[in-house]
Each structure stands twice: as structure tokens, then as C-alpha cells.
Amino acid sequence: MSGWLRTAGGFAVAAIVLFALAPAVLSDFRLNLLAKFLCFAIVAVGIGLAWGRGGMLTLGQGVFFGIGAYIMAMHLQLADAAHTHQDVPEFMQIAGIGELPSYWRPFASAPVAILAILVLPALVAALLGFGVFKRRVKGAYFAILSQALTAALAILLTGQQTIGGFTGLSDFRAFFGFRLSDPVNRRMLFFIAAAALLIVVAIARQLMRSRYGELLIAVRDQEERVRFLGYDPANIKIVAYVVAAFFAGIAGALFTPIVGIISPADIGVVPSIVFLIGVAIGGRTTLLGPVLGAIGVAWAQSTFSEHFPSGWTYLQGALFIVVVGFIPAGLAGFGPLATDFVRRLRKPVTATAPVPDVPAEELKVEAR
């Protein structure tokens, strides 16, 4: 019961900070910036589950983030076009495209778009995971493959003028009927992102504490032994990979209306690596470490890049190297280290009493 109360108290504190304190303290601009960081934190929760618990170095979360983001962007563009009684979105008219592509049409429906955001990233991850993990591809090979898929998707989107090309999709006017220019609706987006983050963290916590979470750690540490016990490690990995993709798709869908633009630059190799850096710095094996690390790295990037635009990248890389090389547990590992250090300081030193010198004659008498 005490563990349950501690968890409920933690979620209550997080809810108070996100839903009461942040809106009261931050300006509209800073609140919208925090909403963007919360989207990154949602992706980080999935990476923490797949990488921290499952040992899968997922360098390609930009694929699933981009799928969710572009589906939402396509729906918002079609909704804006329908509101102004246009057959195609405005950017297509500028590019000389007079007919709506067939793959755009299903996303004009809000339920279909939402269902696609929830299902399509997970389905793609299931297919990729089945093809990769069933063939026992792991380690650096899996990391390189996932990063290559992200680069391929970014290049593919750059050459597609019907999806905006390298400039992407932007200038969204409404979000499911709510005007995005209204500050009240912008706050609504922040609350939606905050609620989504809390739900995602709750799901990840339940998975980590379940029997499946124990199997996932066992696969990470002793995959062959798990296979010997009768479990298929590939299926266990696929589930974690699909859940991480599901979270990334939701984050991408929320990112689009919050930021107001989505382009190949937002889903390429560099953003995927930045997701990973935040998780590593925060602590990939913990529940809240990826969340705090993703928000902290995004905030630092936004703050320091304004003053040191050319030096932030080097600082970010150096911080990543230091954490991975010397603090594998991330910043979340400082807590146990500090607790252990304090415990050692408080531990009393037991002094051994000196043994008195006894003459040899007395020892002989006692022996008799």
C-alpha cells in the first residue's frame, strides 16, 4: 500500500506542476515551448522502455514520430481547405497541384486520422520488428538499421512535393475546429500534451512492474537463457518496440499543432539522436529519467543555442560522451550514489582494542 500511495503522490505532484503551477508562472510563449518539450518527453518514455529495459538502441524513433506528425498535418491542411471551400490545400495550389492525391483523401476524416495516428506507427514497428528480431539482428546492427530507415524516410519526404517537400507542412489555422491563433486554445494543447505524458508514463510504469517487464530485463541481460527457458526473446522485443513507436506517433501528432510546422528536418537522423541523448543523460533505466532528461536537454538547447549557436552542438556531444562513458546510469544515478556516499560517512568506525602484552610465564601458568 505504501508503494501505491507513493506512486499516487508522485503523479499528483506532477499533475499540480503541469496543470496549475506551469500555466500560472510561465508566459504563453514559454508554455507553448514547454508543450513542445513534453512531446519530446513522450518519445523519451518509449525509448527508455525499449533501450533502457530492453537493450535495443533505437536510433530511428524519428520514423514513427514523423508518421504521426505528418498524418496530423495532412488532416489539419485538409480541414483548413474544407473550411475555405478549397479542393486542395493552399501549398498545393502554389505548387501548381490541382488535384488532391488519393492517399490524402482518407485523412480528411478526423476519426480516420486519429485511428491512423494510433495504429500506423505501431503497425510499421511490428512489421520492422518481426523482420529484424526474428532474424536475431541486435546490437550495433539494429542501431545502424534503424538510423538508416530514418534517413531514408527524411530523404523520401524531401522529394515529395505533394507533402510539402523539404519545407514541410505548416500554416495550420485550426485544430479540430479550434482556432490555433487563440491563446486559450494554445493552452488547451499544452494541457492535452501534459495529460498524454502522464498517461504514457503510467502505461510504461505498469509494463515495467509487470511480469513482462521482468522478461524484458532478462532478455536484455541473458537473452540465450530466456530462450532456453521457453520464451521467444524476439516477441518480447517486438512488444517493447511497438509500444515505443506508439508513444512516438502520439508525440508527433501533438507536436504538429503545437509547433505549427513539420518538415523532414524534424524527423531526420539528428532529431532521433537528440531523443537518445536526452534519455541517456536523464537515465535510461529509470522511469522518470528519460522524461526529465528529454525536457532538460530540449530546454538547454533552446536556451544556450540562443547565446552560443555554434557551440551548443559540441557541448551536447561532450555531455553525451561524459554521461555514457562515466555515468552510465545518467543523472538519475546521482541519487543512489549520493545516498550511498552519505551512508558511508554516517557509518560508525569500529575501533579494535589493542591486545595487551602478556608475559610468557603467565601464559604457561594459565595453560596448566
Side-chain angles (χ1 to χ4, degrees):
M1 180 62 70
S2 61
W4 182 87
L5 289 176
R6 187 164 52 250
T7 302
F11 275 97
V13 171
I16 292 173
V17 170
L18 292 174
F19 292 98
L21 185 61
V25 173
L26 300 177
S27 63
D28 291 338
F29 172 76
R30 294 297 177 185
L31 195 67
N32 188 72
L33 203 60
L34 179 58
K36 173 184 173 182
F37 299 161
L38 295 183
C39 296
F40 297 157
I42 295 174
V43 181
V45 173
I47 296 177
L49 180 67
W51 182 33
R53 296 297 175 123
M56 294 170 282
L57 186 58
T58 54
L59 288 174
Q61 290 306 98
V63 172
F64 313 113
F65 184 84
I67 291 174
Y70 267 91
I71 290 175
M72 177 61 74
M74 293 163 72
H75 170 72
L76 297 182
Q77 288 280 3
L78 292 174
D80 292 343
H83 182 71
T84 56
H85 305 287
Q86 302 287 339
D87 295 331
V88 296
E90 185 177 351
F91 82 93
M92 289 187 182
Q93 297 178 15
I94 297 174
I97 302 174
E99 184 178 358
L100 190 69
S102 59
Y103 65 89
W104 272 72
R105 294 192 178 97
F107 303 126
S109 171
V112 172
I114 294 175
L115 184 63
I117 289 169
L118 298 176
V119 173
L120 196 55
L123 180 60
V124 172
L127 295 176
L128 291 175
F130 187 85
V132 171
F133 299 125
K134 287 295 184 179
R135 295 179 179 272
R136 301 188 183 183
V137 177
K138 56 184 178 179
Y141 299 101
F142 170 72
I144 294 172
L145 177 61
S146 61
Q147 191 176 59
L149 291 174
T150 303
L153 178 63
I155 294 172
L156 176 65
L157 293 175
T158 301
Q160 297 295 322
Q161 293 301 321
T162 55
I163 318 182
F166 70 93
T167 58
L169 302 176
S170 60
D171 298 329
F172 311 113
R173 297 186 180 90
F175 176 74
F176 294 100
F178 295 93
R179 289 186 299 108
L180 290 175
S181 58
D182 191 344
V184 176
N185 295 334
R186 305 293 301 180
R187 290 203 166 203
M188 177 190 67
L189 286 174
F190 169 79
F191 292 138
I192 293 175
L197 176 61
L198 293 180
I199 293 172
V200 162
V201 170
I203 294 174
R205 179 187 178 277
Q206 187 62 31
L207 288 174
M208 290 178 180
R209 294 177 62 87
S210 65
R211 181 173 179 79
Y212 168 77
E214 297 177 355
L215 285 174
L216 189 60
I217 296 177
V219 168
R220 179 194 66 188
D221 297 336
Q222 294 289 340
E223 182 173 337
E224 294 302 324
R225 183 172 295 181
V226 172
R227 183 177 287 107
F228 177 77
L229 293 175
Y231 295 97
D232 189 354
N235 294 334
I236 299 172
K237 290 182 178 181
I238 289 172
V239 171
Y241 193 51
V242 168
V243 172
F246 175 74
F247 292 167
I250 294 175
L254 293 173
F255 176 88
T256 298
I258 288 173
V259 179
I261 185 174
I262 183 67
S263 68
D266 298 317
I267 65 172
V269 173
V270 174
S272 297
I273 294 177
V274 172
F275 291 151
L276 204 72
I277 291 175
V279 175
I281 291 176
R284 61 188 176 94
T285 60
T286 61
L287 178 63
L288 295 181
V291 175
L292 300 178
I295 295 176
V297 169
W299 173 82
Q301 182 178 8
S302 176
T303 302
F304 291 109
S305 60
E306 296 176 358
H307 304 285
F308 310 101
S310 60
W312 161 246
T313 303
Y314 299 102
L315 177 61
Q316 188 181 49
L319 184 61
F320 179 68
I321 293 173
V322 169
V323 169
V324 172
F326 301 97
I327 319 174
L331 297 181
F334 276 120
L337 289 176
T339 303
D340 184 63
F341 180 73
V342 172
R343 188 184 297 113
R344 290 183 179 182
L345 289 179
R346 293 180 177 178
K347 186 177 180 180
V349 180
T350 56
T352 56
V355 179
D357 296 333
V358 180
E361 293 77 5
E362 295 182 9
L363 289 177
K364 292 179 181 180
V365 172
E366 291 179 0
R368 292 175 182 177

